[in-house]
Amino acid sequence: MATSRRRSGSITALSLGYLESKKNLAGSAGGVVGVGLALTGVAGGLWPLVVAGLYAAGALIAPPERVTPPEFDPSEQLGVLREDFLRLREYLAEVELPPAAGGKLTELLELYERLLDPGWVADVLAADPESVHVLSRAVRTDVPESVDTYNRARWWNRLQPGTVPPERHLERQLSALFDEAERLTAGLHEVETRRQQTHTTYLEERGRS
């Protein structure tokens, strides 16, 4: 019974939606023209077909209904990213790393933390989807992948010594990620600098006028 009521409600909603749609309104306008032709005798005995044809023509040429895209709150995206960052830190706390790589990783995580810390810095970050994507990729993929591949390569290196030490690759990967994070930070700083310059220009021009 409940399913039947839901289906009935859905059909009713669809029917009401179509009645209010642009296609139905345009088709109805065409149908009215067809009725007018029928009343004046222009359509002759084929007036039902004329009315139906004009209705269909009006419905076809009417623009499609615009579906409003969903709005995503950037702050909510950062909230989820912060949770993933905490999970990453919990994972890294249980991993043993060589001193050099461990120090570079600590610097990297501190930089991520400052960017994600709730406040105006995070607001600037949230306004730049590309920066959010870069940081999300680093937290969710790049850092855990770097550490995990190091741990696996270290085990194989014990069986086959003499190859490039896996900690060197790890250090290079973390250095690359740190450079990327610094570029991201510099880009956000540039945005704020341009904003300040724009406001200065506005105030000076307003003063002249």
Side-chain angles (χ1 to χ4, degrees):
M1 294 294 292
T3 303
S4 299
R5 285 196 295 269
R6 284 196 297 269
R7 289 178 178 174
S8 177
S10 299
I11 294 174
T12 301
L14 289 173
S15 299
L16 291 175
Y18 181 75
L19 289 175
E20 298 173 354
S21 68
K22 294 178 181 178
K23 286 186 174 297
N24 182 56
L25 295 176
S28 298
V32 170
V33 173
V35 172
L37 294 175
L39 293 176
T40 58
V42 175
L46 298 177
W47 68 267
L49 294 177
V50 173
V51 172
L54 289 175
Y55 175 88
L60 286 174
I61 64 174
E65 295 293 325
R66 178 179 178 273
V67 180
T68 304
E71 295 183 1
F72 298 101
D73 186 355
S75 61
E76 292 183 1
Q77 297 182 43
L78 285 189
V80 176
L81 182 55
R82 288 189 190 100
E83 295 177 0
D84 292 340
F85 179 66
L86 291 176
R87 292 171 55 196
L88 174 64
R89 300 208 71 156
E90 292 174 357
Y91 159 70
L92 295 174
E94 300 179 2
V95 177
E96 182 182 352
L97 298 177
K104 179 59 69 174
L105 179 61
T106 298
E107 294 181 25
L108 180 62
L109 294 180
E110 288 177 351
L111 184 51
Y112 289 164
E113 188 172 16
R114 289 196 295 269
L115 289 170
L116 288 171
D117 189 36
W120 67 268
V121 175
D123 292 340
V124 176
L125 173 64
D128 185 358
E130 180 59 28
S131 295
V132 174
H133 169 71
V134 170
L135 190 55
S136 300
R137 181 181 58 195
V139 169
R140 293 168 175 156
T141 303
D142 296 333
V143 173
E145 179 69 12
S146 296
V147 173
D148 185 54
T149 53
Y150 161 75
N151 280 321
R152 288 181 289 166
R154 182 176 59 170
W155 186 86
W156 286 106
N157 194 61
R158 291 171 182 171
L159 298 180
Q160 190 179 10
T163 57
V164 178
E167 55 266 24
R168 290 187 185 175
H169 284 290
L170 177 60
E171 292 170 14
R172 290 168 58 187
Q173 291 167 7
L174 294 176
S175 295
L177 288 171
F178 188 81
D179 291 344
E180 178 185 67
E182 284 195 320
R183 290 194 299 271
L184 186 153
T185 304
L188 296 178
H189 178 215
E190 184 178 353
V191 170
E192 287 297 284
T193 300
R194 288 200 301 268
R195 178 184 176 188
Q196 184 185 35
Q197 292 172 346
T198 300
H199 190 57
T200 299
T201 303
Y202 162 72
L203 292 176
E204 289 177 346
E205 291 180 351
R206 190 178 68 179
R208 297 189 194 98
S209 61

